[in-house]
Amino acid sequence: MNVTVYDIILYFHIVSAVLAIGPLFVLLLVIKQLNGVQQEIERSYVSLISVAVRFIMHAGHALVVTGALLILFGPWPWHTSWVIMTLGVMLLSAFFLASGFTRVLRRFDQAEDKRLILRKLWNTTWIYILLMLVMLWLMVQKPILW
């Protein structure tokens, strides 16, 4: 068996993708549990969501670094359509993660209608999952779009 540097980087890229997507499904369960809980428990759940979002961000950093290394050492040039589209969706998802979750979580304690905030968190989580799945599709299928 001949393991190359590219294979090792690819392995870490896949692991970081799992770590960037997986916690989002746990977030859905936590958000669902937040409906109508006591304030002490609510704070714990909101804290858990904040930690999960931070973890997802760091996994995303590893994903970006390993992805850049894969392009650097791999057979695909930077100007390949699926690479450009992946970078575009990645930038969109990074902005969305930073602004969508953080902004909503900051407003959670001051919100009069917490159900509205929970609905926004739920929708934000699903949108981010969809963005991650689009990136996953682009990286696995490597479609030639132009």
Side-chain angles (χ1 to χ4, degrees):
M1 185 164 89
N2 191 15
V3 178
T4 65
V5 172
Y6 184 84
D7 295 331
I8 294 168
I9 295 169
L10 180 61
Y11 175 78
F12 283 110
H13 188 65
I14 292 167
V15 168
S16 59
V18 169
L19 294 175
I21 296 172
L24 292 165
F25 293 98
V26 175
L27 279 184
L28 291 172
L29 297 172
V30 172
I31 293 166
K32 198 168 202 161
Q33 292 297 317
L34 258 167
N35 257 331
V37 297
Q38 296 172 350
Q39 193 163 5
E40 302 86 38
I41 296 171
E42 184 179 273
R43 284 191 192 122
S44 297
Y45 281 149
V46 171
S47 178
L48 180 63
I49 292 171
S50 295
V51 168
V53 168
R54 208 168 305 120
F55 181 83
I56 292 165
M57 281 186 200
H58 291 305
H61 295 143
L63 194 60
V64 169
V65 169
T66 55
L69 290 172
L70 287 172
I71 295 299
L72 188 63
F73 293 117
W76 298 280
W78 286 97
H79 58 80
T80 307
S81 62
W82 70 267
V83 173
I84 293 170
M85 289 297 294
T86 301
L87 289 171
V89 175
M90 179 196 66
L91 290 173
L92 180 64
S93 66
F95 171 77
F96 192 75
L97 181 66
S99 65
F101 281 105
T102 307
R103 199 171 352 132
V104 172
L105 287 173
R106 277 192 210 130
R107 293 191 338 222
F108 192 82
D109 285 332
Q110 298 104 16
E112 291 179 26
D113 185 7
K114 296 209 177 182
R115 287 180 302 177
L116 178 66
I117 296 292
L118 290 175
R119 197 172 322 119
K120 284 184 181 180
L121 275 174
W122 180 267
N123 292 338
T124 299
T125 304
W126 273 112
I127 290 169
Y128 193 73
I129 287 171
L130 291 174
L131 287 171
M132 295 297 285
L133 291 176
V134 167
M135 278 192 291
L136 186 62
W137 176 79
L138 287 165
M139 289 183 279
V140 171
Q141 289 296 314
K142 297 174 181 36
I144 303 303
L145 302 169
W146 58 80

